[in-house]
Amino acid sequence: MARLRGHGLALDLGPGWEGQISRRSPGRGETTHPVLHAATFALPPTRGDFGSGAVETMQPEDILVTLLEHHPDATGTPLFSASGPPFPLRPDSFSPTSLQRMLPGQSGMQAFFTWRGRALCLYVVLGSHFLRARLVRRVNDVLSTLAVDPPPVTP
Amino acid sequence: MVKHSKGAVLRSPAMHGGALAILVTVEAVAIGLLGLLVAGLLRSHAEVLRALHDLGAGLGEAHDHGPTPAMAQPQREAATDAVDLVGTTPAEDPLAVAVTNTRHSTLLAFLSSGCLTCAGFWEAFRDPGGLGLPDGVRLVAVTRGADEESVSQLRRLAPTEVPVVLSSAAWDDYRVPGSPYFVLVDGPSGRVTGEGSAAAWPQVVSLLRNALEDATAHGQGPMKRRSLPARWSTDAEREARADGELMAAGIVPGDHRLYPSAVEEPAER
C-alpha cells in the first residue's frame, strides 16, 4: 500500500489507486494551498483542481477523490462551519447534478468543512451513478486513511 | 663588425649561428611545454569522462549492455512482480503512480537528466501524440530521487503530458542497470513482461510492439490488454450512436430526463 504524504496531508492508497498532493507556486501577492487527487485510473499530469482533464477519461467503475484546502481565513465562515470530515459518505450523498462538469453517467458530491483548523473541500466523482453503492465503499476505504495535520504556526 | 655607409650593421657569421642556436633551443623548450600541456589536458579529460561514467552520466552508452539491445528479452529468468511507484514530481510534490491492478500496461522509461542519450527521449516525450505507443500502454518517466538528480534540470526537461516520478526506490525495485532503460509492466497481472535499453524512441516502439505480439501469441497478460481497445472502440461507437439518437429526440447533455431522481440500486450479490 502506497503512503502519499506532503503539505500536511496524508493518505494510504490501496491496490489500483494512485494520487498526488500538489501545491502550485504562488504568483506575486497570491497564496496557494494544497490539492490532493486520488484516483483508480491513470491521472493525466495536466488537470484542473476539480479534475477537469481527468474525469473525461473515467470508466464506469472509476473514482476520483479531490481534497482542496482553502485560505485559513475561510475557517469559521458559514460555508466551512461543518466541523470534522463528512465521511463515511453515503450513496445518497451523490448526484449527477453535483458534478463540476456534468458527464453522462457520472455522479458527484461536494462538502465543505473545517478539520484541525484547516478549511477543506471534499469533492468526489464516481464513474457511474448506477454503481454508486459499490463505489462509495471504495471511497470510504481510502478516505478512512486520510490524515490532516494542523496548520503550521506562523510567528 | 663592418659599418656600411648608411649605418646598417651586419652581424658576423659566428654571431648569426649563436642566435639561431638560442632560437632553436627556445622553440624546443616551447614545443616540450606544449606537449606536456596537451598530455595534461588529455589526462584531465579522461578523468572527467571516468567521473561522469561513475555518476551514471556517461556518453549515453547503455551500461553493461553492449550495443543498444532495445527492449531485449527480460534479464530476469521469469516475469517478476512489478511494484507501484511512489516518489515526487519534479516540483517535489508527493506522487504515487499505480502500475499494478490497472486496466492498462505501463512502459516505465528510466531516464536521467544528465545522460546524452536520454536527451532524445526527453525531447520525444514532449509530443506524446507522436510517440506511436500501442493502445492501452501508458508511458511514465522515472528518474532517481531528488537527492541524486538535478531537480532544476528535470524541471526544464519534464514533459507536460507524461508523468515524471523521481524515485530511487523504483530504480532499486526494478534493478535498473543504467539509463536509458525501459520496463514494460502488464497492469492486470502486475508482472514485468519486457525490459531493455535503446538508443532511440523508434527502437523502443518497434520492440514494444514485438513484445506485445509475443505475449499475445503465448497467451500472456498483454493479450487481455490488447483486446481492450477493440471493446473500448465498440463502446465508443455505441455511445456515439446513443448520443446521436438522444440528440435527434431533443435530449441534450444536462437534460433532466437523463437524471431520474430515483434509480434502483443494483442487487447485492
Side-chain angles (χ1 to χ4, degrees), chain A residues 136-149:
Chain A
V136 166
R137 280 197 287 272
R138 294 190 68 194
V139 174
N140 286 329
D141 284 346
V142 74
L143 283 177
S144 68
T145 69
L146 177 66
V148 175
D149 294 338

Side-chain angles (χ1 to χ4, degrees), chain B residues 3-266:
Chain B
K3 275 201 172 185
H4 287 255
S5 58
K6 292 185 180 175
V9 177
L10 293 177
R11 291 172 177 82
S12 68
M15 192 174 173
H16 183 75
L20 189 63
I22 290 170
L23 188 64
V24 168
T25 304
V26 168
E27 190 177 33
V29 169
I31 289 172
L33 287 173
L34 281 173
L36 283 173
L37 184 65
V38 169
L41 285 172
L42 285 173
R43 181 174 177 174
S44 169
H45 181 66
E47 285 173 357
V48 168
L49 286 179
R50 195 178 306 117
L52 285 171
H53 182 84
D54 291 344
L55 289 170
L59 290 178
E61 73 275 22
H63 304 280
D64 304 326
H65 282 273
T68 63
M71 294 304 287
Q73 290 300 307
Q75 288 184 321
R76 298 160 177 80
E77 291 179 359
T80 55
D81 288 338
V83 182
D84 291 331
L85 309 173
V86 181
T88 65
T89 66
E92 301 191 68
D93 286 328
L95 172 71
V97 173
V99 300
T100 66
N101 293 288
T102 62
R103 289 187 296 267
H104 56 267
S105 289
T106 306
L107 178 64
L108 302 174
F110 289 90
L111 304 178
S112 70
S113 61
C115 92
L116 291 182
T117 307
C118 298
F121 291 106
W122 288 119
E123 183 64 31
F125 293 175
R126 290 183 179 279
D127 177 22
L131 292 176
L133 275 173
D135 290 339
V137 177
R138 179 194 195 188
L139 175 64
V140 176
V142 189
T143 72
R144 286 198 168 276
D147 53 342
E148 299 179 66
E149 261 290 358
S150 166
V151 175
S152 59
Q153 202 167 344
L154 280 178
R155 286 177 184 165
R156 284 192 295 272
L157 291 169
T160 54
E161 299 300 328
V162 174
V164 179
V165 186
L166 281 66
S167 170
S168 296
W171 282 59
D172 296 339
D173 290 339
Y174 286 93
R175 289 180 285 161
V176 177
S179 59
Y181 198 74
F182 297 86
V183 174
L184 179 64
V185 177
D186 178 63
S189 68
R191 310 280 280 178
V192 173
T193 54
E195 63 183 301
S197 187
W201 179 251
Q203 283 180 292
V204 179
V205 173
S206 168
L207 290 150
L208 177 61
R209 289 183 186 279
N210 290 345
L212 292 172
E213 285 167 10
D214 288 347
T216 303
H218 291 91
Q220 294 173 354
M223 183 169 60
K224 293 179 185 173
R225 176 191 56 255
R226 285 169 63 80
S227 67
L228 281 175
R231 181 175 64 75
W232 290 346
S233 173
T234 305
D235 287 349
E237 288 171 10
R238 189 182 301 121
E239 184 180 329
R241 189 170 64 248
D243 285 348
E245 289 175 1
L246 287 168
M247 286 184 181
I251 300 174
V252 297
D255 191 297
H256 70 280
R257 287 169 289 181
L258 293 171
Y259 308 106
S261 57
V263 177
E264 289 184 11
E265 293 290 334

Side-chain angles (χ1 to χ4, degrees), chain A residues 92-117:
Chain A
D92 60 9
S93 307
F94 287 82
S95 165
T97 58
S98 297
L99 294 165
Q100 292 282 333
R101 181 175 180 197
M102 292 173 68
L103 290 171
Q106 294 186 357
S107 193
M109 66 77 58
Q110 188 172 19
F112 297 88
F113 57 101
T114 299
W115 192 17
R116 308 201 75 182

